[in-house]
Amino acid sequence: MSRIDLIVLNYNDYKTTSKFLEIIKDYKTIDHIVVVDNNSSDDSYELLLKYKSDKIHVIKSEKNGGYSYGNNYGIKYAMKEFNTEYIIISNPDVFFEEKVVDDMKKMYDKEERVAIVAPTMLINGELKWTSWKLPKFKDDLISLSDMLKRWLGDKTLYPKEHFNGEYSFVDVLPGSLFMIPANVMKKIGFFDEDVFLYCEEKMLSKRLLDRGYKNIILNNITYDHQHSVSIGKNINNSIKIYKLMADSTYIYNVKYNNIGFLKKAIYKALVNIMLLRMELS
């Protein structure tokens, strides 16, 4: 039997994480659950310790380094302590049935060089487009402005017919719930810790696709995501959220799209214009 371990991050959100653990703690398909308290400023860590058991390990990171840092902390712990084979990365604000774990795992026997497998995400029960093509610089530039997106459209979206059948190959999947082989994560150097929040999925997928791996979405298997529940409790300022997203997108394009001086200048100018508009509105 393959060893499957799940990593879940907590930051100042004991209630959401606790609710999640109550649901999945008895799933037999998951061998271990690693709860990484991302150096919460409240008493989350102490409260979560009540779940500590042979199956549930509650650990605390050395700093709040964001999504990538916290998940890497948990992945490396699982690889060291359990010699894990498959990692599930999960947000605490999701719900999935136990069968979903088996459905994800089966794909590694059906296709070769599979990296990420994820079910289709429902956002508060509603079906959304939850996978996309790797963006080029111009796509990310357009994404900075809702007005530009309305005028020019989003070229990173797959057509609806792409999702016919049991599963589809895609570039990028959301980071709220997915499975990946532990050895693959190690080969590519884990999550990119240069970003605190946002764009982690693009960075991960870019490195995977460049090495010839495949990412798969399960079209008929779903999970529910209470979208941005945890983020919203800790970052409730729209300008801060926009700046975080814009900064991460800039880092992605510098590192992975290799943009030069002119494109950097254009990007920064557009971000400054958008931030000024938000401050004045």
Side-chain angles (χ1 to χ4, degrees), residues 116-133:
I116 296 173
V117 178
T120 294
M121 180 168 67
L122 305 178
I123 298 180
N124 300 323
E126 184 179 352
L127 182 64
K128 298 286 186 179
W129 268 282
T130 57
S131 57
W132 56 99
K133 302 172 188 175

Side-chain angles (χ1 to χ4, degrees), residues 49-107:
L49 283 174
K50 73 176 186 180
Y51 289 100
K52 193 173 180 179
S53 67
D54 289 341
K55 179 169 184 172
I56 301 177
H57 290 229
V58 181
I59 60 177
K60 187 171 185 175
S61 63
E62 298 172 356
K63 63 179 181 178
N64 177 21
Y67 175 95
S68 293
Y69 170 83
N71 275 304
N72 283 346
Y73 199 89
I75 293 167
K76 291 172 184 177
Y77 177 90
M79 292 177 70
K80 178 182 177 182
E81 296 294 324
F82 317 131
N83 195 25
T84 185
E85 294 179 77
Y86 293 91
I87 293 286
I88 296 174
I89 300 295
S90 179
N91 280 16
D93 55 354
V94 304
F95 168 76
F96 60 92
E97 296 179 348
E98 183 169 12
K99 180 179 179 294
V100 170
V101 178
D102 277 332
D103 289 329
M104 289 191 289
K105 173 60 180 63
K106 287 175 183 175
M107 292 310 305

Side-chain angles (χ1 to χ4, degrees), residues 127-249:
L127 182 64
K128 298 286 186 179
W129 268 282
T130 57
S131 57
W132 56 99
K133 302 172 188 175
L134 272 174
K136 299 176 181 177
F137 171 71
K138 64 180 181 181
D139 300 317
D140 276 337
L141 202 63
I142 291 169
S143 74
L144 292 173
S145 165
D146 288 338
M147 183 171 61
L148 286 176
K149 282 192 285 188
R150 286 195 299 270
W151 284 353
L152 302 173
D154 189 344
K155 304 299 183 184
T156 67
L157 295 178
Y158 290 99
K160 190 175 181 180
E161 56 269 21
H162 185 80
F163 301 102
N164 292 332
E166 177 187 357
Y167 59 91
S168 303
F169 295 106
V170 295
D171 287 352
V172 189
L173 287 152
S176 50
L177 179 67
F178 67 86
M179 181 181 286
I180 187 167
N183 67 330
V184 173
M185 279 298 271
K186 185 177 181 180
K187 283 178 183 177
I188 65 166
F190 304 95
F191 284 107
D192 189 325
E193 296 182 16
D194 280 351
V195 293
F196 181 84
L197 191 63
Y198 301 117
C199 294
E200 305 92 350
E201 304 102 324
K202 292 193 290 189
M203 293 177 169
L204 181 64
S205 295
K206 172 66 173 171
R207 286 180 288 148
L208 289 169
L209 295 172
D210 283 350
R211 288 165 174 78
Y213 289 103
K214 305 170 187 175
N215 297 326
I216 287 175
I217 186 168
L218 304 175
N219 297 323
N220 303 317
I221 309 299
T222 63
Y223 70 102
D224 196 67
H225 184 200
Q226 302 295 312
H227 191 51
S228 295
V229 165
S230 296
I231 294 174
K233 288 181 179 178
N234 294 295
I235 309 173
N236 55 13
N237 183 300
S238 60
I239 294 177
K240 287 183 180 178
I241 291 173
Y242 181 86
K243 192 171 187 312
L244 264 176
M245 188 176 296
D247 288 347
S248 295
T249 302

